[in-house]
């Protein structure tokens, strides 16, 4: 810290401040000019250059940016890390990944996973009929893996049996015993041998946000006695050879490697006994849970993980190998259903800042000869301010302010005097706050002082549409400016979105050591947009979003980075228009327009406007209906 003061701020100071190397997973970096870059293939592209391309194409902020190469790279890293772990200990079977479509169902994402994943045989996990239909349309190679979880009706089962006829490796995972008779009945009727999986209820306790998917009260999976009943039914139906897969899912975002290992050991014990029961098991599926280090802390905190991808793969492979080898059971194909870790990195929410509120005095006003005595007293507090008196001064200014407000309410103090008092109060508060850094211990009374003085930056986005998990489960995502980073960020701020909801704010950030309540930002410049990015938002955010205040889907842009440092816009989707969001809540845009025409016609009749003005107004109204739901700047 001390050293930094001796030289001007540099981009590398921002790298440290915002932790980009800790959470960026080598996909994001900072150029010497102070721009955040997306990185893959030994190439780097500044996000600001991509935004310039968007502006040229009239794609307004906010925009969800997808970098396809990052998605590809994650698929590659996952498959290659498993291949390496398998080679290292001479595991005799392979790894097969499936992507759980629920994590991000957007066609752009699913189609890219199908296309790039093909070289690794990466398949899909589906939990409903619509997801099944997506998988059947996206996969093209015979032998592609489809894992069907969730409750399955006859139609769902028939789709899966058809998939087998078409050559896909489609598995029905039995989640409740009642599903089995229908699977047996439909496969006989359609004359197909089904591939059956069985989901076990894990009792290993897992820490983290989503730990309720394991444990005795888990709503998923079969108990030991239900497993035995399913095995007996299959044997009776002479279909025990169809029971090929054992499935478990400990939860999502599991931060601790030892929890994962304990779960794998428990699953292996089930696997061994099911094989001994005569099941022809060939696949063990560990579900999801591979975490994303959102905070970059590399810890076992909920929003972090205390292991690397390599550690995860080695733990799964080695634990299965040692546990099964000890019982002389053949190695199964290892399947995982990583969703979050596969897609989180590839999406960034970009938005501009529209305005700020500062908690500062408006103007330094000199003392007037005849000013109110309370004002003079308030003004003099700062004279005795030092580290020892800080707490006393803090109390004093609050007391004087209170008295001044009372005086105002009683008509003894005028508006101008009250305005002076507010300015003096804020100036003194800032002087006190400036002392806190050098104080050995901050008095409890002043613990939130800095937070109460933080700026509010208003961002052009809707938290409820684009970052629902921040609202719903206090998820932390890395947030930072994407440019001007060679310049010291001198403001401390919290972020507010443009909905009218007081929950539409971000006031928890990834700090240097622990969560911080404010984010360092740069002052706005009059002539230049200020852009922020929210990173690692590719998983779970897009489809959980809602239409709060009728802010709709954002614009989406997919780019592909090239080796020569250039980039291509490969896909663009214009977000919802106002007419779109109105129709989602059952308005008919045509009727809405007609109502407005009639209102305007009445105004013509009553002589308020001319017919020509009416035409202008209707034209503007129609343009609004076709416009973006977010704040649009006229370029
Ligand atoms: C949600 C879910 C996943 C995905 O989990 P991640 O932690 O996102 O990888 C995988 N399998 C099942 C059964 C799920 O319900």
């Amino acid at each position: 810290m001390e050293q930094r003061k001796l030289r001007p701020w540099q981009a590398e100071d921002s790298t440290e401040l915002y932790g980009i190397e800790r959470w960026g997973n080598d996909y994001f970096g900072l150029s010497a000019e102070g721009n955040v870059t997306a990185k893959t293939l030994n190439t780097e592209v500044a996000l600001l250059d991509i935004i310039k391309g968007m502006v040229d194409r009239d794609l307004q902020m906010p925009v969800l940016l997808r970098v396809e190469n990052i998605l590809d790279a994650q698929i590659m890293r996952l498959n290659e890390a498993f291949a390496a772990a398998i080679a290292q200990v001479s595991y005799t079977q392979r790894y097969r990944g499936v992507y759980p479509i629920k994590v991000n169902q957007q066609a752009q994402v699913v189609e890219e996973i199908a296309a790039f994943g093909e070289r690794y045989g990466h398949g899909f996990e589906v939990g409903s009929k619509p997801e099944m239909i997506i998988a059947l349309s996206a996969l093209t190679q015979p032998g592609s893996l489809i894992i069907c979880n969730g409750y399955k009706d006859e139609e769902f089962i028939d789709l899966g049996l058809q998939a087998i006829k078409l050559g896909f490796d489609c598995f029905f995972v039995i989640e409740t015993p009642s599903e089995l008779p229908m699977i047996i009945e439909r496969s006989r009727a359609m004359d197909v041998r089904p591939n059956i999986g069985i989901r076990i209820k894990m009792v290993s306790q897992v820490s983290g946000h989503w730990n309720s998917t394991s444990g005795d009260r888990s709503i998923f999976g079969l108990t030991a006695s239900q497993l035995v009943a399913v095995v007996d039914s299959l044997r009776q139906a002479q279909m025990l050879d169809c029971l090929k897969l054992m499935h478990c899912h400990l939860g999502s975002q599991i931060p601790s490697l030892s929890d994962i290992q304990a779960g794998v050991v428990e699953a292996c014990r089930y696997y061994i006994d099911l094989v001994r029961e005569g099941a022809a098991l060939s696949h063990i599926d560990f579900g999801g849970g591979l975490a994303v280090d959102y905070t970059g802390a590399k810890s076992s905190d909920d929003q972090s993980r205390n292991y690397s991808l390599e550690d995860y793969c080695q733990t799964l492979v080695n634990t299965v190998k040692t546990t099964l080898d000890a019982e002389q059971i053949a190695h199964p194909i290892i399947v995982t259903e990583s969703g979050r870790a596969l897609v989180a990195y590839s999406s960034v929410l970009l938005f501009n800042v529209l305005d700020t509120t500062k908690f500062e005095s408006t103007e330094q006003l000199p003392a007037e000869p005849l000013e109110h005595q309370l004002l003079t007293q308030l003004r003099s507090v700062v004279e005795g301010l030092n580290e020892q008196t800080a707490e006393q001064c803090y109390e004093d200014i609050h007391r004087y302010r209170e008295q001044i407000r009372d005086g105002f309410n009683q008509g003894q103090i005028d508006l101008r005097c009250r305005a002076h008092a507010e300015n003096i109060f804020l100036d003194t508060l800032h002087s006190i706050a400036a002392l806190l850094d050098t104080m050995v211990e901050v008095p409890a009374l002043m613990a939130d002082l800095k937070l109460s003085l933080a700026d509010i930056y208003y961002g052009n986005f809707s938290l409820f549409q684009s970052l629902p998990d921040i609202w719903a489960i206090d998820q932390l995502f890395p947030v930072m400016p994407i440019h001007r980073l060679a310049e010291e960020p001198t403001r401390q701020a919290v972020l507010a979105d443009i909905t009218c909801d007081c929950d539409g704010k971000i006031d928890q950030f990834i700090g240097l050591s622990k969560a911080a309540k404010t984010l360092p930002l740069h002052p706005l410049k009059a002539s230049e947009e200020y852009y922020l990015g929210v990173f690692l938002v590719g998983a779970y955010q897009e489809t959980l979003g809602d239409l709060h205040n009728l802010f709709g889907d954002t614009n989406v842009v997919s780019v592909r980075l090239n080796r020569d440092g250039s980039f291509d816009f490969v896909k663009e989707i214009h977000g919802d228009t106002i007419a779109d969001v109105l129709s989602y809540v059952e308005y008919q845009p045509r009727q809405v327009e007609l109502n407005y025409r009639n209102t305007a016609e009445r105004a013509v009749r009553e002589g308020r406007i001319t017919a020509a003005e009416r035409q202008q107004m209707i034209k503007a109204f129609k343009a609004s209906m076709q416009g973006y739901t977010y704040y649009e700047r006229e370029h």
Side-chain angles (χ1 to χ4, degrees):
M1 280 303 220
E2 276 313 303
Q3 239 177 0
R4 210 187 65 208
K5 292 208 175 94
L6 300 177
R7 57 165 178 76
W9 186 270
Q10 293 174 357
E12 61 196 56
D13 298 316
S14 292
T15 304
E16 175 62 17
L17 179 67
Y18 295 105
I20 195 163
E21 284 174 355
R22 293 189 290 274
W23 51 258
N25 212 12
D26 293 334
Y27 294 129
F28 300 99
L30 217 59
S31 71
E33 304 83 62
N35 290 316
V36 173
T37 58
K39 301 198 290 189
T40 51
L41 296 172
N42 309 319
T43 179
E44 263 184 271
V45 172
L47 299 186
L48 192 63
D49 290 338
I50 299 176
I51 290 178
K52 285 186 183 137
M54 293 172 187
V55 172
D56 292 344
R57 289 167 176 78
D58 200 28
L59 283 155
Q60 301 242 5
M61 296 282 123
V63 175
L64 187 78
L65 172 69
R66 294 211 187 90
V67 185
E68 288 192 348
N69 319 57
I70 293 180
L71 182 52
D72 297 350
Q74 272 300 89
I75 297 170
M76 182 188 79
R77 284 191 195 177
L78 177 69
N79 281 280
E80 296 195 348
F82 265 111
I86 280 170
Q88 207 173 38
V89 294
S90 311
Y91 190 84
T92 58
Q93 270 293 354
R94 59 174 296 205
Y95 164 75
R96 298 199 70 181
V98 288
Y99 169 70
I101 291 178
K102 72 153 196 261
V103 179
N104 187 330
Q105 302 103 326
Q106 298 295 316
Q108 298 176 324
V109 172
V110 169
E111 284 163 10
E112 185 59 27
I113 292 172
F116 188 85
E118 198 180 284
R119 69 201 67 187
Y120 299 107
H122 213 94
F124 289 109
E125 185 266 353
V126 301
S128 65
K129 286 181 281 186
E131 290 181 359
M132 179 72 175
I133 285 176
I134 291 173
L136 288 173
S137 100
L139 292 170
T140 55
Q141 293 300 305
S144 291
L145 192 54
I146 303 175
I147 307 274
C148 307
N149 288 318
Y151 294 97
K152 294 169 275 292
D153 63 7
E154 191 172 309
E155 217 174 87
F156 196 162
I157 290 166
D158 285 1
L159 283 171
L161 292 168
Q162 284 170 27
I164 293 175
K165 280 196 175 181
L166 293 174
F168 293 116
D169 262 355
C170 181
F171 286 81
F172 297 117
V173 176
I174 295 174
E175 305 245 9
T176 69
S178 59
E179 286 178 323
L180 185 60
M182 206 192 299
I183 293 173
I184 294 176
E185 195 254 320
R186 291 311 302 159
S187 50
R188 284 195 177 134
M190 287 178 66
D191 194 24
V192 186
R193 294 299 277 178
N195 298 318
I196 295 177
I198 200 163
R199 179 159 180 177
I200 58 170
K201 192 194 283 279
M202 305 281 281
V203 299
S204 295
Q205 280 295 340
V206 167
S207 66
H209 251 298
W210 291 267
N211 58 7
S212 62
T213 30
S214 59
D216 281 325
R217 287 286 300 159
S218 159
I219 53 173
F220 295 110
L222 304 180
T223 61
S225 55
Q226 288 172 325
L227 285 175
V228 170
V230 165
V231 166
D232 289 345
S233 302
L234 282 171
R235 184 180 286 118
Q236 216 164 32
Q238 298 188 318
M239 287 172 71
L240 201 50
D241 61 312
C242 296
L243 181 50
K244 294 181 187 163
L245 179 143
M246 200 196 81
H247 181 279
C248 59
H249 174 62
L250 273 174
S252 196
Q253 182 67 17
I254 304 176
S256 157
L257 191 61
S258 57
D259 284 350
I260 292 170
Q261 182 169 25
V264 173
V265 169
E266 185 184 356
C268 286
R269 298 313 320 179
Y270 277 103
Y271 187 90
I272 290 162
D273 278 35
L274 284 169
V275 170
R276 291 196 172 133
E277 285 281 337
L281 290 179
S282 54
H283 294 64
I284 190 162
D285 180 344
F286 291 107
L290 174 57
V292 166
D293 194 354
Y294 291 101
T295 64
K298 295 187 170 52
S299 77
S300 56
D301 292 343
D302 285 2
Q303 321 226 5
S304 184
R305 66 176 194 196
N306 69 359
Y307 52 89
S308 66
L309 174 61
E310 287 68 29
D311 295 336
Y312 174 82
C313 298
Q314 285 163 10
T315 298
L316 259 56
V317 172
N318 297 355
T319 310
V320 173
K321 181 177 155 68
T322 38
T323 317
L324 266 52
D325 281 354
E327 305 287 338
Q328 286 156 335
I329 302 278
H331 298 169
I333 292 172
I334 293 178
V335 178
T336 69
E337 305 173 347
S338 283
R340 179 188 301 277
L342 214 64
V343 297
Y345 294 97
S346 52
S347 299
V348 184
L349 177 71
L350 298 168
F351 61 87
N352 53 332
V353 172
L354 298 173
D355 199 4
T356 67
T357 296
K358 289 187 183 129
F359 293 84
E360 283 177 355
S361 62
T362 42
E363 199 187 335
Q364 296 291 346
L365 294 161
E368 287 173 27
L370 278 176
E371 77 176 7
H372 196 282
Q373 181 198 344
L374 277 171
L375 208 55
T376 314
Q377 284 168 327
L378 180 63
R379 203 188 287 283
S380 64
V381 171
V382 76
E383 287 160 20
L385 177 63
N386 60 40
E387 284 167 25
Q388 281 73 44
T389 60
E391 194 170 5
Q392 186 60 48
C393 291
Y394 183 84
E395 285 177 357
D396 288 348
I397 58 168
H398 280 83
R399 195 178 61 253
Y400 290 133
R401 185 180 63 163
E402 205 53 40
Q403 290 170 1
I404 289 165
R405 285 178 176 175
D406 284 347
F408 178 76
N409 290 346
Q410 288 157 18
Q412 293 155 358
I413 281 176
D414 65 11
L415 181 63
R416 211 155 266 279
C417 177
R418 184 173 172 167
H420 278 221
E422 270 170 21
N423 282 338
I424 299 164
F425 176 85
L426 276 170
D427 281 345
T428 314
L429 214 51
H430 277 279
S431 304
I432 296 172
L435 280 178
L436 294 186
D437 292 334
T438 55
M439 282 167 69
V440 188
E441 203 179 340
V442 174
L445 191 62
M446 300 192 285
D448 283 332
L449 175 53
K450 289 214 156 167
L451 182 61
S452 71
L453 292 173
D455 299 346
I456 301 174
Y457 274 54
Y458 297 91
N460 191 12
F461 71 103
S462 159
L463 189 84
F464 306 92
Q465 175 61 247
S466 296
L467 305 164
D469 279 351
I470 292 186
W471 172 72
I473 56 169
D474 290 328
Q475 170 81 46
L476 288 171
F477 293 102
V479 186
M480 65 181 290
I482 58 104
H483 60 139
R484 292 177 63 186
L485 291 156
E487 189 187 317
E488 182 167 8
T490 51
R491 309 299 307 177
Q492 291 290 331
V494 298
L495 298 175
D497 73 4
I498 57 168
T499 68
C500 309
D501 193 311
C502 60
D503 280 337
K505 63 178 194 288
I506 309 180
D507 55 5
Q508 287 218 61
F509 304 94
I510 290 154
L512 282 178
S513 54
K514 55 183 183 342
K517 290 178 175 168
T518 57
L519 179 69
L521 291 175
H522 303 88
L524 296 191
K525 289 183 185 168
S527 58
E528 190 183 290
E529 287 280 16
Y530 187 51
Y531 295 108
L532 303 185
V534 185
F535 292 80
L536 317 190
V537 298
Y540 296 107
Q541 300 315 293
E542 284 176 68
T543 32
L544 293 177
D546 75 10
L547 289 172
H548 214 65
N549 281 129
L550 297 183
F551 288 111
D553 278 345
T554 65
N555 292 326
V556 182
V557 168
S558 289
V559 298
R560 191 160 268 286
L561 316 183
N562 303 318
R563 282 180 194 276
D564 63 4
S566 64
F567 61 93
D568 297 316
F569 278 65
V570 285
K571 289 164 198 138
E572 63 178 59
I573 303 176
H574 285 260
D576 289 324
T577 63
I578 291 174
D580 290 336
V581 299
L582 292 185
S583 63
Y584 298 156
V585 284
E586 310 298 339
Y587 291 90
Q588 285 162 7
R590 281 178 157 280
Q591 186 62 45
V592 169
E593 187 190 318
L594 191 61
N595 294 350
Y596 190 73
R597 280 177 183 276
N598 291 340
T599 303
E601 188 55 41
R602 204 178 323 124
V604 173
R605 230 179 291 133
E606 292 167 356
R608 291 177 212 279
I609 56 173
T610 65
E613 280 175 313
R614 174 179 180 268
Q615 278 321 96
Q616 280 301 317
M617 287 169 129
I618 289 171
K619 212 175 136 196
F621 187 84
K622 284 171 74 170
S624 284
M625 291 279 281
Q626 291 313 313
Y628 203 18
T629 58
Y630 293 88
Y631 189 97
E632 295 178 280
R633 285 230 208 270
E634 306 302 328
H635 285 290

